[in-house]
Every structure is written in C-alpha cells, then in structure tokens.
Amino acid sequence: MSLPIAVVGGGSFGQSLARASARVGQRVLLWSRRPRELPEESITCTTELRELADAELVLFAVPSPHVGEVADELGHHLDGSHLLVHVSRGLVGDELHTVSEVLAERTPCRRVGALAGPLVAKNLASDEPSGAIIGSQFPEVVEAVSEALGGPSLRVYSTPDLVGVELASALVGLVALSLGYAMQMGMGPGALAVLATRGLAEATRVGELRGGQPRTFAGLAGAGDLIAAVAGDGRPEIEFGRALAQGLSLAEAAERADAYIEGALLAGQVAAFAARARVEVPLSTGLARLMRGEISVAKLTEALMTRPATRE
Amino acid sequence: MKLFPTRPLRLPRLRTYVPRPEDPKIFWFNSERADIVDEVVRRIMERYDAEESVELALNDCAYHEIRRLEQIKSEGARRKLEYWRGILRRVGRMSAEGKHETLREIAADMSRDVAGNFDPRVYDFASRFVPGVLTAAMNPSGILKNLMNGGGRLDGLVTTEGPIDKIRQLSKRGTVVLVPTHSSNLDSIAIAWVLFREGLSPVVYGAGKNLFTNPIISFFMHNLGAYRVDRRIKAMLYKEILKAYSCVVLERGYHSLFFPGGTRSRSGAIEKHLKLGLAGTGVEAFARNRARGIDRPVYFVPATINYALVLEAETLIEDYLKEEGRARYIIEDDEFSRIERWISFFNKFRGLESVCVIRFGEPFDPFGNPVDERGDSLAPDGRVIDPGSYVSRRGTPSVDARRDAAYTRALGKVLAEAYQRETVVMPTQLVAHVIFRRLVRATPGLDLFARLRYRGSIAIPGDELRTELGETRDRLVALEAAGKVHVSNFVRRESPTTILDGVLETWAGYHATRPVARMQSGSLIAEDPNLLLFYQNRLRPFAPEIAGDNEADQIAAREIAGMEHRP
C-alpha cells in the first residue's frame, strides 16, 4: 500500500489540500491543533504530529506567522527521508529568508519545496481546473507532489528554482495588495496595468538578488498568480488592499480580508533589503511608508507617476 | 605516447613498505592505487555506455585538447596534437568497439596522470625537516640549529584553534573531508604541517598543476598524496575523471582536502560563493557506500586559514582589480615562486606573534547536520538521526546525481556561513579596515576605483586612529562573544598603540616597494589603498556592526559591506 500524504494545518488551505489529494486517490493524514472531522473517508484527522512520521510527503500549510513554532514541533518527528513542501506566501525578516530556508534550518528535512501559483483554498477544494507550480531542487519532491495532487483538474508544473518560486509567490501578494488599493481608489485599467507590470519588474529585481531566476517571475508563480488574483479568484490580498484604501487600520483591514498583517508588513522588509543592496523598489518603499502613515495615497501616487520613465 | 603531462619524480622502490596497523589509512594508498585507477575507468565507461555519448566524449576531448595544444610550441605538444587530430578524423568511421576502446585508453591515461602517490619515506622526511626549512627561512641566522629543530619555532608561528580532539576521534570512525578557505599557496603546506603536529592523519588532496611547476614542491606534493588537477584541460571527460577519482578515494575512507573557493581569494575576502564540485563528491561517496550496505560516515570539517601577511597579496589584489582578472585564473609568476619573498615574508612577524592561525570549525555531515563527539548526526532538537535517511526513499538507499547535486548546493551555504563564523581577525586586517573606512569617509560619492587612486593623500591623526582602532576592536570582541567571528589573541589583548606599531612594522618590511601606510608628523598616511582594500576585505561582512555610531562611519561601513555586489 502506498504511503499516506501528510498535511500540516487544519485551516481552509490545509483542508483544501487534503481534499485535492484525496480526490486523486491518496490516503491523507491531516494534522490540526483542534480536533476536526472531514466527511471524506480517505482523510484521517489527527492532533498528534508524531502520526505524520508515517508519511513520506508532508504538505505544510501553516500561516507564515506560525511557521517557526510549528516547524520546531514537527521537526521532532521527522528525519532526512521526509519530503517537506510548504504553501506559505511569507518571507522572514529583513534578509527575506524564505519559508523553505526556515524549514531546512528548524527541522531535519533537507528535501524541501514550495507549492505556489494560482492556488486558493476554494478552487483547490472544488474540481475547478487550475494549475500550480512546485519549486524544488530535488526530483523526488517534484515527483511526489505531482503524484499527490496532480490530476485532471490540477496541472502541476515544476522548476528547480525554489527561491524564485517563494520570492515570486510572496511578492505577488504585495503587488496584489497594491492593486486592490488602487482599484478601491478608482484607478483605471491603464494605471492598474502599469502598477502590475512595474510591480512584477520590482519583484523580479528583488528575487534575482536573492538568487531567483527572472523567468520564474514571468511564469505561473509570478505573472500567472497575479492574473488569477486580478481576475477575481477571491485572493485576500486584493481585499486587504481595498480595506486599507477605505481607511481601515492594518488590523481591521486584515480581519476584514481574512488575511494576516504580515502580508502588508512585507513591504517594509523588502524596502529594507533593497536599500542594503542599493536596488530601487519604489512600490515597496512607497507602500511601507504608506503603512507607517508617513505619506498619503495622493503623495504616493504622485511620486510613482512622476518617476522618470526609463527603458523597460 | 603519454597524452598528458609527464609524472613528477618518485623515489626508487628498494623494498616495499609494509604499513603498520597504527599507520593512517593513507599509508596503504600505493597498494590500492592501481585498483583505484581501474575503478575510475570502469565508472567512466559505465557512464558512457551509449555509442553516441562515447563519440561525443571523444569529439569533446579532441576539440579541447587541440585548442590547448595549439598554444604550446614544443615537439611533445606537436606529437600529441597529431594524435588528437587523428582521433577527430577517424572517430566517425570507428566501430562501436573501437570508440569504446579509444575512450577507455584515454580515460586510463588521464586517470593515471591524475592519480597521486604516497611515499611513507617522503612523509617521514618532510615531517622531520620541512618545519626546519620553513623556520630557517624565518630566521636565517640560526639556520643549522633550525634545520635540526625547526618545529619549536614554527609551533609558535602557526597556531591552531578549534575542536581538534573531536576531529581526531571522527577520523577513526569515518572519512574526513577538510574544506579550508584559500588565500595563499602556502595554505597546503601550513595545513599539512598542522595536521602532522596535531596528530591528525595526512590527507589526499587535489593540487593545481601550477604547484607542480617547481620541481622541489612538485616532488613533495606528488609523493604526499596530492593528485594533479590541470585546470587547462577543459575536456568534459577530464572533469568527470577528477570527480570519479575523488569519489572512489573518499568511498575507500581516505581523508581528503578540498579548497571549495576553487582558487586563492583574489580580493582577500572570505569566500562566499563556493564551488563544491569536487568536495561534493563527499555526498556521492556517502550515498554509494550506503547503497552497498557500507556504513562509513563522511564528515565535512570547515577551516579558516588566517594570515597576518599574505605572501602573494600584491599579485592577488592586482589581479582582482583588473577587469580581465578572471582570465588570469592560473598565476604562475607570483611571489610564491620567488624565494626572496618567502624569506622576507617569514622575517616580518617578530612583532605580531602568529604568522597564521588555522581555525577548525565544528564538523557536520554531508547534509549540513552537526555531529556529536561520537560522530552521530544531530537533528536541530539534538536528537540522533540516521544520515542514511537522506539518501533513501521508502527505506532503500540509492545514488541519485540530481539529488546529490542539490544536497551539495545546500552544503555550500552551510560552509559559507561556517567560514564567516570561524574567521579569525588578524591585526593587519583590523588596522587596514579602520584606515580604509577613513578613506571611504574622506571620499564620499566616489566609486571603488576612484578611491583607490587616493595614494598617499589621506592623513589620519595618530590619536584619532588609535581611538578608532580600540573602539573597533572592542566591537569585534563583542561580536566574538556573540559567536559571529573570532579575533586573534594579539588583537584581543594588546593596546591599540601596540597593534598599530606592530602592523606598520610588519607591512613596512614585506610590502616594501610602496609602503601600505606610514606615520609622518604624528599622522598616518594611507599609501597603498589596494593593499589596504585587500587586508580589510576580510572584515567586509562585519563592517556595519563594527563601525562607530556616528552617521559618517555608518555610511562608510555600509558602502564597504555593499562592495561585494560589485564585480
């Protein structure tokens, strides 16, 4: 009998991953802090992390603020044979450490990967056709994720550019947030297109500094993900941006969008990282200043629009 | 006809040396040498199983060898050139067996050329007399006394730090892969001497062909376990033979040494972007042994080699600063080949105690996990874990080149972090950094090359300099307490005045063409920004943390730290 797939995190994303995997015939062990029950027979819910040691592939669907703490606990039960793949969109600290770096540091697992692209909980749980990208340097991780999730309704592409996938996934969230903001402010399609493409160019510059490949940002993890967000896949970052534009505080906006404040605070991390590397990130720097109340939306828009237009 | 460079001199074998049980593994090397070469050839032929790939390998070899040999004007080169041109002409018409046989012959010839030698008589001689020769070079007036009893003086000049007992213990259980930083051709000699002195086994190591150009050094290198790495041979087959050779040697338990920096650090900085090509074979060797049911752990041991003076500093920094620096990958005419520079070099340390501090770091397994005193791999929570789990799927260990390449890349990061943490700051580096920071402060808005033209035009009042030296030293000591770096005893203990005087005296004698810096009317004049840059580069990653709180210092420090982003 094949080994079960483990899913860490009983939130909406974790549950959707478990369902998507069960749909393609896998046995799933779903860990969550609180006891849960799911109707699918092939999904076994547990509150004991040690039970996940039986699996080979462990899908890590924990919100970025809790990644370190859960990784520490999970690490007690895993070893070098486990394949650990996360779906987080976060980056850690001003050095922009990726979640896979945190996992490799705090657990014994080295065969790590990140699943990204236009993945949202609602679509993943339903049978709606979609796609995803698995970033990992380990061929067995790519193979295991494709087997665990790939099927008629989910095309799973792969790339060895793990850091590129993680950076693209996180930074697209920031671009989506600013697009939500701009939409709420009533900006037209032309302005949104400029914001989206310049945002992606900025994300690519930052990603390259961290060792990512530019083409990853043009693929499913970057441009693909952003198109899905703008097309209305119910991405919390868009709603977060809209709520902020309505004058809500960070905490209130996050609550309304069912998002984490950290998603918005990423702008400050990116700005600090880029300043050290002496790379221009006008969008992230502007957003960070906006969040800190140092600049108004009107001033930010003016500052961005009056920058000299250079070669693309 | 030998297709590859001729072998260096060996001593005649009058009677076979039979190793004693307590001898290190490397004493058995010569008895296994032919087996090792055969195994390398077997693996290469296994890899080039398909006829198309054999033809591709032959074409690639011929193409690169012809390009290389066309540059050499000698009778030997002309004959070899004819051979390779013949291959190129005939390969299309050869039968499958003919191609295989030709490749086998070339692979065997290359492998024999690469393979090292270990002569216990040479080892015995070298360990008795080399310290004396080196020490004599440091103090020519006591030459006879030094030749007979050189170790004592050398002991004081080359100091060792780190978990030596643990490394000694691990070398009994598994294979040690020593991976030091690389800043001078003296590194191999200094490491070899320290291994002997600390009772650690001699190691097998790949030495660049340029080290074999001096017949005396070549003799010692070749007979003490070095295998030849000729960077001029660009054929794909040659690189695979080097890797296969290294892997077979590691699998058989020979402790090995690699310089993952690939070449001497041109900038003087601690290496950050590492080439683990050959060292990476440690991962493959571990996996291959596990797949065959052999439990022989592999331990990577990082080490930093920290010199107060770098013998080849002037050539290295000049090369770094040249735009076309990369083209001069193999330098054959530097200070290393000039004996008067050696003598001058060793004579300049009277004021600074140690010539060189070799600091060994904590060993780790091929997957970056720390290991305990017994050699067991430890998870982040301190649990003992089986390193075999990393090369297994569903309980079965296997060899997988792509997987092992990914492990090797991850290992490069672990190693780069270890290098930074295990760096020992030497007095020359501290003084150079403080002066260079002042130079950056005094030249706002300029780029590096414009700054380097400020020769002899920056003066720093002596009192200010000593105060800054003391403050910077104190911040370094605080970083040391936080586990981020180490400082040499001299830096930690002495007053800023003693440090400055000792460093200026040391520089004054060795870098004599143009002084690095000199005192004039109570002020220090920065004379050679290139060498200041070279010595201070070692402190580049720490610059913001050891700068003063004032804004000018902080801006200068950030600029210095950011210099690594420039070519």
Side-chain angles (χ1 to χ4, degrees):
Chain A
M1 197 164 71
S2 65
L3 295 170
I5 307 297
V7 177
V8 181
S12 57
F13 217 116
Q15 288 186 33
S16 302
L17 279 172
R19 289 200 164 104
S21 192
R23 204 167 48 236
V24 292
Q26 303 284 352
R27 278 189 307 129
V28 181
L29 282 168
L30 174 66
W31 174 88
S32 111
R33 274 204 198 283
R34 281 173 294 170
R36 286 184 195 278
E37 277 198 22
L38 294 185
E40 289 85 349
E41 263 185 31
S42 52
I43 302 178
T44 308
C45 296
T46 177
T47 53
E48 298 290 338
L49 279 171
R50 68 167 177 271
E51 290 185 18
L52 305 189
D54 292 342
E56 183 190 48
L57 175 63
V58 181
L59 299 172
F60 193 83
V62 174
S64 45
H66 307 298
V67 162
E69 168 204 347
V70 180
D72 285 345
E73 287 178 52
L74 179 66
H76 297 316
H77 309 286
L78 304 183
D79 63 21
S81 64
H82 291 98
L83 316 176
L84 187 53
V85 173
H86 76 89
V87 291
S88 169
R89 291 177 181 275
L91 295 171
V92 182
D94 286 354
E95 293 292 332
L96 303 186
H97 286 300
T98 64
V99 171
S100 72
E101 286 167 346
V102 174
L103 294 176
E105 191 185 314
R106 297 173 81 151
T107 75
C109 301
R110 297 290 177 272
R111 290 186 263 191
V112 292
L115 186 65
L119 283 175
V120 284
K122 183 166 59 78
N123 298 354
L124 200 55
S126 70
D127 222 359
E128 217 173 284
S130 187
I133 183 155
I134 167 72
S136 178
Q137 299 195 341
F138 291 89
E140 57 267 51
V141 171
V142 170
E143 186 189 313
V145 169
S146 301
E147 271 175 29
L149 295 169
S153 57
L154 188 70
R155 291 180 65 79
V156 182
Y157 293 83
S158 69
T159 169
D161 183 17
L162 170 59
V163 71
V165 165
E166 292 180 285
L167 264 291
S169 187
L171 298 177
V172 157
L174 212 52
V175 182
L177 186 143
S178 45
L179 285 171
Y181 207 112
M183 285 191 257
Q184 185 64 34
M185 299 301 295
M187 288 187 187
L192 295 181
V194 171
L195 195 54
T197 49
R198 298 324 300 157
L200 262 185
E202 181 174 309
T204 309
R205 279 199 298 276
V206 175
E208 275 190 279
L209 276 177
R210 278 275 5 240
Q213 302 293 323
R215 60 184 296 178
T216 305
F217 289 76
L220 215 46
D225 195 18
L226 190 60
I227 289 168
V230 176
D233 69 354
R235 195 68 59 92
E237 287 88 349
I238 296 272
E239 193 50 41
F240 198 169
R242 283 184 182 280
L244 284 172
Q246 287 167 7
L248 267 60
S249 70
L250 268 179
E252 290 164 344
E255 194 181 341
R256 182 196 283 181
D258 197 16
Y260 285 87
I261 292 177
E262 282 75 7
L265 298 182
L266 180 60
Q269 292 163 241
V270 174
F273 175 81
R276 270 198 312 281
R278 289 186 280 177
V279 167
E280 289 199 353
V281 286
L283 183 61
S284 300
T285 310
L287 273 177
R289 295 187 66 197
L290 192 69
M291 309 280 174
R292 290 197 297 264
E294 294 170 6
I295 190 172
S296 68
V297 180
K299 281 273 179 213
L300 174 60
T301 311
E302 188 192 329
L304 290 175
M305 290 306 286
T306 53
R307 281 173 57 81
T310 53
R311 269 182 67 170
E312 192 170 34
Chain B
M1 178 183 67
K2 282 188 189 308
L3 295 175
F4 298 95
T6 48
R7 215 171 315 289
L9 186 67
R10 285 192 201 163
L11 293 181
R13 189 177 291 177
L14 301 173
R15 65 183 174 86
T16 310
Y17 178 85
V18 182
R20 294 161 299 180
E22 67 272 20
D23 281 341
K25 166 86 179 166
I26 197 170
F27 278 56
W28 271 263
F29 184 85
N30 281 8
S31 61
E32 290 192 5
R33 193 170 177 276
D35 267 4
I36 290 171
V37 168
D38 288 349
E39 176 62 17
V40 170
V41 176
R42 194 191 63 73
R43 281 190 196 178
I44 292 294
M45 295 314 293
E46 202 175 78
R47 196 163 300 164
Y48 288 101
D49 195 27
E51 191 184 338
E52 307 82 64
S53 58
V54 173
E55 189 172 327
L56 182 68
L58 288 173
N59 276 321
D60 178 79
C61 242
Y63 168 74
H64 286 291
E65 279 303 280
I66 289 169
R67 281 193 64 175
R68 180 175 78 87
L69 293 164
E70 277 174 345
Q71 312 299 317
I72 307 170
K73 307 285 175 223
S74 76
E75 185 54 24
R78 197 189 55 75
R79 281 203 304 273
K80 288 175 191 169
L81 204 52
E82 273 169 24
Y83 171 85
W84 288 112
R85 284 181 176 148
I87 293 276
L88 216 48
R89 275 195 306 273
R90 283 180 286 126
V91 68
R93 300 194 302 272
M94 282 183 196
S95 65
E97 291 75 30
K99 285 176 195 165
H100 270 90
E101 204 37 52
T102 309
L103 186 70
R104 186 189 305 280
E105 280 168 15
I106 296 169
D109 206 37
M110 275 184 177
S111 306
R112 279 193 295 269
D113 183 67
V114 165
N117 192 52
F118 187 86
D119 190 328
R121 292 167 298 174
V122 179
Y123 180 66
D124 188 51
F125 173 82
S127 51
R128 279 170 203 262
F129 291 100
V130 169
V133 173
L134 285 181
T135 315
M138 293 175 219
N139 182 8
S141 57
I143 195 157
L144 266 180
K145 191 173 154 222
N146 280 320
L147 278 172
M148 301 312 291
N149 183 25
R153 175 80 195 277
L154 199 61
D155 267 349
L157 291 168
V158 182
T159 54
T160 326
E161 298 177 359
I164 308 286
D165 289 341
K166 184 172 177 179
I167 297 164
R168 205 178 289 122
Q169 204 57 33
L170 299 188
S171 64
K172 290 177 189 155
R173 179 171 169 188
T175 311
V176 168
V177 180
L178 192 56
V179 273
T181 55
H182 196 11
S183 29
S184 166
N185 281 336
L186 280 178
D187 290 350
S188 319
I189 302 168
I191 276 270
W193 158 243
V194 157
L195 292 178
F196 171 76
R197 186 181 71 189
E198 305 297 341
L200 293 162
S201 166
V203 289
V204 174
Y205 57 101
K209 172 74 175 61
N210 51 324
L211 292 184
F212 286 87
T213 47
N214 176 322
I216 297 173
I217 290 171
S218 168
F219 171 78
F220 281 106
M221 289 270 180
H222 185 73
N223 288 293
L224 293 174
Y227 54 95
R228 283 203 286 193
V229 179
D230 192 338
R231 294 196 190 101
R232 296 167 308 181
I233 302 178
K234 302 289 182 199
M236 183 169 67
L237 180 69
Y238 184 70
K239 287 170 189 159
E240 283 175 7
I241 283 173
L242 282 175
K243 282 192 176 182
Y245 180 85
S246 163
C247 189
V248 171
V249 162
L250 285 167
E251 274 168 63
R252 290 177 177 232
Y254 291 101
H255 307 307
S256 299
L257 176 143
F258 302 96
F259 291 111
T263 180
R264 290 168 291 173
S265 168
R266 298 296 193 258
S267 65
I270 280 277
E271 296 101 318
K272 206 171 174 185
H273 304 289
L274 304 172
K275 294 175 186 169
L276 282 182
L278 279 183
T281 55
V283 180
E284 185 188 338
F286 174 78
R288 279 185 181 271
N289 273 340
R290 272 301 174 104
R292 288 200 301 260
I294 300 168
D295 181 12
R296 179 177 288 140
V298 170
Y299 304 112
F300 282 83
V301 178
T304 57
I305 306 180
N306 309 274
Y307 294 97
L309 276 184
V310 174
L311 179 68
E312 310 98 314
E314 293 161 33
T315 310
L316 291 173
I317 192 67
E318 183 195 334
D319 200 55
Y320 171 72
L321 292 171
K322 271 186 188 166
E323 268 191 357
E324 65 278 19
R326 286 174 190 281
R328 286 191 69 192
Y329 195 61
I330 305 167
I331 303 176
E332 291 184 355
D333 55 351
D334 60 26
E335 296 86 339
F336 188 72
S337 56
R338 285 147 56 190
I339 193 68
E340 78 280 5
R341 296 308 299 265
W342 280 59
I343 292 171
S344 171
F345 176 78
F346 282 114
N347 260 325
K348 300 309 158 200
F349 290 99
R350 298 206 178 101
L352 291 184
E353 296 181 357
S354 289
V355 175
C356 168
V357 178
I358 297 183
R359 183 173 178 86
F360 294 95
E362 278 296 328
F364 43 82
D365 73 12
F367 315 101
N369 296 302
V371 294
D372 64 14
E373 298 289 333
R374 286 172 308 181
D376 290 327
S377 296
L378 300 175
D381 60 1
R383 214 164 25 107
V384 170
I385 47 167
D386 175 16
S389 64
Y390 291 91
V391 294
S392 303
R393 270 202 86 182
R394 297 171 188 183
T396 309
S398 65
V399 179
D400 180 331
R402 281 174 63 201
R403 176 199 68 199
D404 296 343
Y407 280 135
T408 304
R409 279 191 289 274
L411 203 59
K413 283 188 187 168
V414 175
L415 195 54
E417 285 166 15
Y419 280 170
Q420 194 160 317
R421 214 171 38 239
E422 304 298 346
T423 293
V424 180
V425 177
M426 305 299 277
T428 42
Q429 296 157 357
L430 170 66
V431 171
H433 177 72
V434 174
I435 301 173
F436 195 78
R437 195 170 61 203
R438 287 293 292 244
L439 192 150
V440 172
R441 265 170 58 178
T443 52
L446 294 188
D447 70 12
L448 176 65
F449 290 91
R451 281 183 170 129
L452 294 179
R453 286 195 285 273
Y454 275 71
R455 289 174 170 263
S457 52
I458 303 287
I460 311 163
D463 289 347
E464 275 181 36
L465 183 63
R466 287 183 197 95
T467 307
E468 274 191 43
L469 256 181
E471 288 170 356
T472 307
R473 184 263 307 274
D474 293 347
R475 289 186 203 102
L476 269 171
V477 171
L479 281 188
E480 184 180 42
K484 292 184 176 178
V485 72
H486 295 269
V487 297
S488 75
N489 288 331
F490 191 81
V491 167
R492 189 184 304 107
R493 200 185 53 222
E494 298 299 336
S495 70
T497 303
T498 313
I499 294 174
L500 182 61
D501 293 349
V503 167
L504 290 179
E505 190 188 335
T506 303
W507 275 337
Y510 184 63
H511 298 299
T513 330
R514 185 183 183 99
V516 182
R518 65 187 164 84
M519 294 302 289
Q520 183 183 305
S521 314
S523 286
L524 181 131
I525 314 293
E527 287 286 354
D528 189 338
N530 289 11
L531 280 174
L532 287 170
L533 175 73
F534 180 84
Y535 284 106
Q536 80 88 37
N537 266 342
R538 204 76 164 181
L539 287 174
R540 193 167 65 191
F542 313 103
E545 289 177 278
I546 57 175
D549 293 332
N550 64 76
E551 204 183 337
D553 243 16
Q554 281 294 327
I555 291 171
R558 281 200 297 274
E559 284 206 40
I560 291 171
M563 282 175 186
E564 66 185 312
H565 291 294
R566 298 182 180 189

